[in-house]
Amino acid sequence: MSLTREFKETIQARIERDPVFREELLKEGVESLLAGEVETGKAVLRDYINATIGFQELGDLIAKSPKSLIRMFGPHGNPQSRNLFEILRCLQEREGLHLKVQAVR
């Protein structure tokens, strides 16, 4: 499913002005991955990255090609766990946030 440009611009504007929304979007991306909803998690994280740090800066911070990062989070991307965890560490650090896993029954 492709999102319209207007929707993406709306999300980006909200991320820029609402730090709580920005944090929740990052959490939602990680929670989706943990729930096995890999495509949803990648899509949410891709939107988060595009609206915050950008793939160029992220690539510079973790010494990866921005094009490679874009492919990782694309529909057919399959990021290695090492890369994914490095990206998540970097995003948390930049956001000033530390995500924790909590067991729930």
Side-chain angles (χ1 to χ4, degrees), residues 18-53:
D18 187 348
V20 173
F21 179 75
R22 189 173 57 241
E23 289 179 11
E24 289 299 319
L25 194 62
L26 178 57
K27 286 172 30 181
E28 178 65 29
V30 172
E31 287 174 355
S32 293
L33 292 173
L34 291 173
E37 300 168 5
V38 177
E39 295 309 313
T40 300
K42 290 189 312 179
V44 170
L45 289 174
R46 181 177 56 244
D47 289 343
Y48 175 85
I49 293 165
N50 274 321
T52 57
I53 190 170

Side-chain angles (χ1 to χ4, degrees), residues 42 55 65-79:
K42 290 189 312 179
F55 283 101
S65 158
K67 288 183 181 182
S68 177
L69 295 173
I70 292 168
R71 281 192 302 272
M72 281 183 209
F73 288 96
H76 303 291
N78 188 15

Side-chain angles (χ1 to χ4, degrees), residues 79-90:
Q80 294 180 354
S81 59
R82 177 183 309 251
N83 293 329
L84 183 59
F85 290 129
E86 179 64 13
I87 290 165
L88 293 176
R89 181 205 56 78
C90 184

Side-chain angles (χ1 to χ4, degrees), residues 48 95 104:
Y48 175 85
E95 190 65 46
V104 179

